């Protein structure tokens, strides 16, 4: 039988959608399936702050490129390798501008693009960052038409990588990122702001869904409510006590997921 570990996989409300794929893997190569589940447990035991996700993308980049193309900037799928702030914003040029002006430039630049972006106050980022060091991963819930889909968010330096839980469960650290949030603290000391932007796999997420995940990072990591942040601590340090539903309850209470999922089907009045 699948045993207790297999059972946890079935609890995922989205499991049905992927069931055939997973069952096929279970049948065709049970050892691979087992080792992936093993690896999933390994990931939990990794030292704090150690996320293989960004590392994996970098390695993939190295292997995927022909030697002669080494000098060019390439990305894996839609993700840029070592995405620097300078590649987006002329940092030296904005040094003499005020925080308010930089914020306007940032927001104006990205408002025309189909992506997630933010300007985070330094003290809020400090809190978030301090907590990310202690709790490098968390489980986020995304409202979809057929229910909630769970995403694992893992910090790697100032990048936050999201992958769907089902991918994480079946592929471990090799699960591809569906969304990466890039945080830039370069102007934090001088200007009191941290700039954030993102790249996402548009086959998997649309912008308002990516935005919902990004908002949840602030909700869980930068909150003043100790009960909310405690969910993050439980997930990282006492995983056996963690309850999926508590994330959903918190999300519903915050109202962040509202508008993502039609509250009622217009056809059934």
């Amino acid at each position: 039988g699948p045993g207790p570990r297999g059972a946890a996989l079935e609890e995922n409300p989205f499991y049905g959608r992927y069931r055939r794929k997973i069952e096929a893997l279970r049948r065709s190569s049970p050892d691979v399936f087992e080792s992936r589940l093993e690896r999933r447990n390994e990931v939990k035991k990794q030292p704090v702050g150690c996320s293989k996700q960004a590392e994996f993308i970098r390695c993939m980049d190295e292997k995927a490129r022909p030697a002669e193309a080494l000098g060019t900037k390439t990305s894996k799928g839609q993700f840029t390798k070592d995405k620097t702030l300078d590649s987006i914003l002329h940092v030296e040029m904005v040094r003499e501008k005020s925080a308010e002006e930089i914020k306007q430039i940032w927001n104006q630049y990205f408002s025309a693009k189909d992506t997630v972006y933010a300007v985070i106050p330094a003290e809020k980022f400090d809190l978030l960052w301090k907590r990310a060091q202690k709790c490098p991963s968390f489980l986020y819930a995304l409202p979809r038409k057929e229910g909630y889909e769970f995403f694992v968010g893992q910090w790697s330096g100032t990048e936050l990588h999201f992958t769907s839980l089902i991918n994480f469960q079946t592929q471990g650290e090799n699960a591809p990122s569906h969304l990466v949030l890039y945080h830039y603290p370069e102007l934090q000391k001088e200007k009191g702001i941290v700039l954030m932007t993102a790249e996402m796999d548009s086959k998997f997420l649309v912008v308002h869904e990516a935005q919902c995940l990004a908002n949840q990072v602030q909700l869980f990591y930068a909150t003043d409510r100790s009960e909310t942040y405690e969910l993050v601590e439980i997930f990282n340090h006492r995983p056996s006590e963690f309850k999926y539903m508590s994330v959903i309850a918190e999300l519903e209470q915050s109202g962040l997921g509202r508008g993502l999922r039609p509250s009622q089907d217009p056809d059934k009045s």
Side-chain angles (χ1 to χ4, degrees):
R5 264 172 311 153
L9 196 57
E10 266 97 69
E11 286 161 22
N12 183 336
F14 253 61
Y15 180 67
R17 227 171 127 189
Y18 302 84
R19 183 176 271 124
R20 277 192 217 88
K21 209 163 155 189
I22 292 172
E23 287 306 337
L25 177 66
R26 218 177 237 174
R27 275 197 305 277
S28 63
S29 38
D31 50 333
V32 174
F33 185 79
E34 279 307 306
S35 75
R36 282 179 184 175
L37 284 175
E38 285 301 335
R39 210 169 40 213
R40 187 172 111 223
N41 292 347
E42 278 314 298
V43 173
K44 282 193 177 144
K45 295 191 198 91
Q46 280 178 7
V48 170
C50 167
S51 166
K52 294 263 171 50
Q53 187 78 19
E55 215 34 67
F56 167 69
I57 287 176
R58 274 177 210 126
C59 297
M60 277 303 285
D61 274 329
E62 297 310 329
K63 290 192 194 75
R65 292 194 290 204
E68 67 272 14
L70 269 172
T72 63
K73 194 172 178 186
T74 64
S75 65
K76 170 175 188 302
Q78 297 172 283
F79 300 103
T80 309
K81 188 172 177 269
D82 303 322
K83 190 179 175 69
T84 62
L85 180 56
D86 250 322
S87 68
I88 311 171
L89 186 73
H90 199 309
V91 180
E92 283 318 309
M93 250 162 134
V94 301
R95 289 225 185 258
E96 65 263 32
K97 299 196 181 299
S98 70
E100 197 42 54
E101 287 171 308
I102 297 170
K103 186 175 177 172
Q104 278 176 341
I105 292 167
W106 190 256
N107 289 342
Q108 206 172 341
Y109 175 75
F110 283 106
S111 63
K113 303 191 179 321
D114 214 17
T115 191
V116 172
Y117 55 95
V119 177
I120 306 168
E123 47 303 346
K124 184 169 257 200
F125 184 77
D126 274 336
L127 177 61
L128 208 148
W129 182 239
K130 200 170 74 210
R131 289 170 166 180
Q133 306 308 298
K134 295 193 201 109
C135 298
S137 56
F138 190 57
L139 191 72
Y140 301 87
L142 183 66
R144 301 272 215 186
K145 279 197 189 66
E146 41 303 44
Y148 285 89
E149 179 163 20
F150 288 95
F151 283 77
V152 178
Q154 287 184 293
W155 287 89
S156 176
T158 51
E159 295 178 3
L160 179 51
H161 291 254
F162 291 86
T163 187
S164 69
L165 176 62
I166 206 88
N167 265 5
F168 186 69
Q169 286 176 327
T170 50
Q171 297 174 56
E173 69 218 26
N174 297 336
S177 297
H178 292 131
L179 170 68
V180 182
L181 302 184
Y182 302 95
H183 299 84
Y184 298 107
E186 282 89 329
L187 299 165
Q188 183 173 9
K189 280 199 175 60
E190 277 172 79
K191 309 290 180 186
I193 53 176
V194 172
L195 302 172
M196 184 272 275
T197 185
E199 289 181 324
M200 61 181 202
D201 182 342
S202 52
K203 292 191 294 293
F204 209 87
L205 288 169
V206 293
V207 172
H208 65 269
E209 293 172 330
Q211 186 67 61
C212 178
L213 290 171
N215 290 345
Q216 286 185 59
V217 179
Q218 305 252 343
L219 171 70
F220 289 103
Y221 277 88
T223 178
D224 297 329
R225 278 186 80 226
S226 54
E227 315 89 287
T228 305
Y229 175 60
E230 197 191 5
L231 297 179
V232 181
E233 293 182 302
I234 291 170
F235 183 77
N236 283 270
H237 304 295
R238 308 195 296 283
S240 58
E241 296 170 33
F242 182 76
K243 295 184 177 59
Y244 288 52
M245 286 313 291
S246 53
V247 174
I248 293 175
E250 202 62 47
L251 185 62
E252 303 253 305
Q253 198 182 327
S254 74
L256 277 185
R258 242 177 250 142
L260 271 194
R261 200 174 50 193
S263 46
Q264 52 204 147
D265 201 323
D267 296 336
K268 306 187 190 98
S269 49

